[in-house]
Amino acid sequence: MIDYTEKIPNNVDLGRDRGLQRALEHWQPAYMGWWYDMGPNESHNYDVYLRTAISVEADGWAQFDYVKMPEYRWGIFLQPRDEKREVNFGMHKGQAAWQEVPGEYRSTLRRVIVTQGDTEPASVEQQRLLGSSCPSMYDLRNIFQVNVEEGRHLWAMVYLLHRYFGRDGREEAESLLARRSGDADNPRILGAFNEPTPDWLAFYMFTFFTDRDGKFQLCALAESGFDPLARTCRFMLTEEAHHMFVGETGVTRIIKRTCEVMKEHKLEDPAQIRTLGVIDLQTIQRYLNFHYSVTLDLYGSDVSSNAANYYTSGLKGRFRETKLEDDHVLSEAEYPVYEVIGDKIVKKNVPALTALNERLRDDYIEEIADGVARWQRVIDDAGIPFKLTLPHKGFHRAIGNFAGHHIGIHGEVLTAEAWKKHEDEWLPSAADQKFVQSLMTGRVVEPGKFANWIAPPLRGINSKPLDFEYVRFN
Ligand code: BYC
């Protein structure tokens, strides 16, 4: 169980390590300062029907109640230790999993933890203003739930930095509160986390696409030979599932509502559909193209010596590493990557060890394709002849082998001018964004009411009805 009598709730026996406890209690007010500045705008006095972790066991870890977000019990929760756990891959395979940081991997490991940690507050910053245009009280509560859990994920990484990396770790923990999403001078580390999330369609796309990168990266880190990181990530993954649910169902509901209006009025022309106050499927496709491509970049270069080192050192594994049947060392194996040569995209086999980013990206794409197929079913069920598609892997990429090339949506290698001509057809244009924003000028918060552009969800939170008062504004 988690000890909630402590100032910092935890299941790591924090009280026994006074120095660490003091350091974290020193960081805590800085975190609160960040939350008041950069957390959801004007929300500090709301009572929100939130889920809080009460135990890390698989069954019944969550408790639901009204909470003012600044009073949310952010804390430190690790999955229980398995005394027999080993390093399961790389050159240390078979050794007992590390309970302390191996000296030679200190800086590498710190970098990975900082990169992971940096995304968490970044996403809260990106979503900060969305409360003022929410489509319902249900959705408002969901975004707040996502935000407080991202805050807790930051705590998870900060605990590791404080506990295992001494003064360097404490300095990194401070920097995590100092960088700002989109800031010109002190931006967040990874590209996607500096993009704006200006509207709710972007928010749902982000939680579907980008939070799922979170899932895959956390799965890879949950395989780490550094046991405290693995145990932390395992618990984070249980929270991540809800974020992807919010994204997937959010987009489903938007598509559903659009299809209803299209059928009711027998319309197919996007311009006419827009006049009825719903988002045309073409615009949804362009948002999808954007979020997908920007998220693919988060996996890093297709061929990466960093990734090879992480793996060989036993720091970051593959998706479901222990379920894979091979040598877990990858000394001989190869893996295909793609390169642009002249006006062609060419497949090339490289040592699998160097292609681990690409492999994780491919695992991700497989899961994404299933989700998009579920969205497609909503359109098919409505009998509307429109196909949602995933763009080519090389489309609109800024990292890896496709960076610097102009790849079309179907994988055609284009000149910069030819690509530019299609830009507004492939990515959300200024006009698309303006239209989407025009639907979201105010918030809808009467219990049980939903904005015109989105269908209600199938059910409420924690078996509550849809007209439950999920947020009390006081
Ligand atoms: N933007 O060998 P390379 C989540 C840098 S999301 C900017 O290609 P590597 C969440 C890279 O840092 C999951 N820079 O890549 C979701 C390196 O820089 P240096 C977050 C980038 O190192 C929603 C250089 O390019 N977790 O949790 O193999 C809401 C060459 O590096 C980008 C993690 O990512 C980019 N997109 O792999 C809330 C896990 N990509 O050293 C939360 C931890 C690469 O040359 N991170 N660069 O200056 C990692 O495992 C690795 O850092 C990466 C990159 C997979 C990101």
Side-chain angles (χ1 to χ4, degrees):
M1 288 302 271
I2 293 165
D3 186 351
Y4 274 104
T5 60
E6 300 269 343
K7 198 165 164 194
I8 300 171
N10 71 90
N11 69 349
V12 293
D13 215 356
L14 193 58
R16 278 216 336 223
D17 186 341
R18 288 287 163 203
L20 174 63
Q21 188 177 28
R22 263 199 306 278
L24 282 165
E25 284 178 3
H26 182 75
W27 185 81
Q28 191 174 34
Y31 171 79
M32 289 312 300
W34 168 82
W35 180 269
Y36 276 109
D37 284 351
M38 298 313 294
N41 199 28
E42 292 179 357
S43 67
H44 305 314
N45 199 33
Y46 301 171
D47 288 303
V48 187
Y49 188 69
L50 291 179
R51 159 181 97 162
T52 306
I54 49 169
S55 143
V56 294
E57 305 307 326
D59 49 338
W61 65 270
Q63 172 191 304
F64 288 84
D65 207 350
Y66 285 101
V67 180
K68 286 191 176 44
M69 282 187 283
E71 291 162 18
Y72 185 80
R73 303 308 312 278
W74 284 290
I76 299 155
F77 316 125
L78 272 64
Q79 203 116 98
R81 180 171 162 194
D82 168 3
E83 304 280 340
K84 293 199 220 59
R85 187 163 181 269
E86 295 180 348
V87 182
N88 294 313
F89 57 91
M91 63 195 269
H92 303 289
K93 185 169 173 286
Q95 295 179 6
W98 307 308
Q99 301 307 320
E100 295 293 330
V101 180
E104 67 270 38
Y105 301 142
R106 209 181 143 80
S107 65
T108 320
L109 200 49
R110 192 184 64 211
R111 220 183 84 169
V112 172
I113 293 171
V114 166
T115 308
Q116 177 63 49
D118 190 68
T119 62
E120 317 290 359
S123 66
V124 175
E125 292 164 6
Q126 288 171 297
Q127 297 161 14
R128 174 175 150 66
L129 298 176
L130 289 174
S132 60
S133 57
C134 65
S136 74
M137 209 176 230
Y138 164 91
D139 290 280
L140 185 62
R141 176 265 168 212
N142 279 350
I143 197 172
F144 289 159
Q145 181 74 52
V146 169
N147 292 157
V148 293
E149 287 177 353
E150 300 301 9
R152 208 206 64 74
H153 291 181
L154 171 61
W155 270 93
M157 293 301 117
V158 164
Y159 163 72
L160 295 176
L161 290 170
H162 273 232
R163 165 70 180 79
Y164 297 98
F165 295 89
R167 178 209 281 252
D168 297 352
R170 291 194 292 278
E171 283 174 8
E172 293 284 13
E174 280 173 31
S175 301
L176 286 170
L177 296 175
R179 284 186 288 272
R180 289 285 179 272
S181 174
D183 190 279
D185 300 322
N186 197 14
R188 291 296 172 182
I189 296 170
L190 297 174
F193 295 90
N194 289 303
E195 298 286 347
T197 309
D199 57 65
W200 280 76
L201 179 55
F203 167 68
Y204 297 128
M205 290 287 180
F206 182 95
T207 40
F208 178 79
F209 285 104
T210 309
D211 277 85
R212 197 175 308 273
D213 170 49
K215 169 184 166 177
F216 278 79
Q217 297 291 351
L218 289 175
C219 280
L221 296 176
E223 302 288 348
S224 182
F226 178 49
D227 203 40
L229 175 61
R231 289 162 57 205
T232 308
C233 290
R234 288 203 186 282
F235 184 67
M236 289 164 76
L237 278 163
T238 64
E239 294 170 317
E240 201 66 50
H242 174 257
H243 307 185
M244 291 182 291
F245 162 86
V246 169
E248 175 160 343
T249 54
V251 176
T252 302
R253 290 160 53 209
I254 294 179
I255 293 175
K256 186 169 170 215
R257 180 69 190 129
T258 299
C259 290
E260 280 169 9
V261 169
M262 287 173 76
K263 261 176 69 172
E264 189 184 333
H265 296 270
K266 299 193 173 52
L267 288 178
E268 281 187 17
D269 173 20
Q272 285 182 314
I273 291 164
R274 285 184 177 196
T275 62
L276 294 169
V278 296
I279 306 172
D280 51 290
L281 299 174
Q282 288 79 356
T283 298
I284 294 172
Q285 174 72 61
R286 286 191 284 276
Y287 270 66
L288 179 162
N289 296 345
F290 175 79
H291 287 273
Y292 177 62
S293 55
V294 166
T295 306
L296 289 185
D297 275 342
L298 289 176
Y299 289 83
S301 306
D302 320 39
V303 176
S304 164
S305 57
N306 284 348
N309 288 336
Y310 295 157
Y311 187 82
T312 302
S313 317
L315 303 179
K316 183 180 175 190
R318 288 171 293 174
F319 183 54
R320 302 202 171 124
E321 180 71 44
T322 47
K323 308 248 158 43
L324 299 172
E325 288 185 15
D326 58 21
D327 64 359
H328 303 278
V329 190
L330 300 178
S331 43
E332 304 291 324
E334 296 195 324
Y335 195 84
V337 299
Y338 292 86
E339 271 181 349
V340 184
I341 297 181
D343 61 353
K344 293 211 167 47
I345 295 174
V346 182
K347 186 164 137 180
K348 173 179 156 190
N349 279 343
V350 297
L353 203 49
T354 62
L356 287 167
N357 287 342
E358 184 68 357
R359 177 172 180 149
L360 194 59
R361 184 164 26 236
D362 287 341
D363 291 332
Y364 166 83
I365 290 174
E366 207 180 305
E367 197 173 286
I368 284 289
D370 290 344
V372 173
R374 287 191 289 276
W375 289 340
Q376 182 63 43
R377 234 172 281 151
V378 180
I379 303 175
D380 293 344
D381 288 350
I384 291 169
F386 184 92
K387 283 272 169 264
L388 282 175
T389 48
L390 279 182
H392 185 273
K393 209 197 252 186
F395 170 73
H396 188 235
R397 293 285 305 281
I399 303 271
N401 288 351
F402 293 108
H405 295 282
H406 298 90
I407 311 298
I409 205 99
H410 304 298
E412 54 281 39
V413 181
L414 301 172
T415 61
E417 298 76 52
W419 193 91
K420 194 87 192 142
K421 273 196 202 133
H422 290 282
E423 187 171 3
D424 284 355
E425 189 188 312
W426 289 339
L427 292 171
S429 65
D432 289 339
Q433 293 192 24
K434 201 168 151 207
F435 167 68
V436 173
Q437 296 229 337
S438 76
L439 298 179
M440 305 175 192
T441 47
R443 61 183 193 184
V444 178
V445 286
E446 202 179 299
K449 254 197 97 179
F450 290 83
N452 179 57
W453 49 267
I454 191 165
L458 293 178
R459 57 189 76 81
I461 298 295
N462 192 30
S463 311
K464 296 289 179 210
L466 290 187
D467 62 359
F468 183 72
E469 196 177 11
Y470 290 105
V471 181
R472 294 182 182 146
F473 293 105
N474 302 315

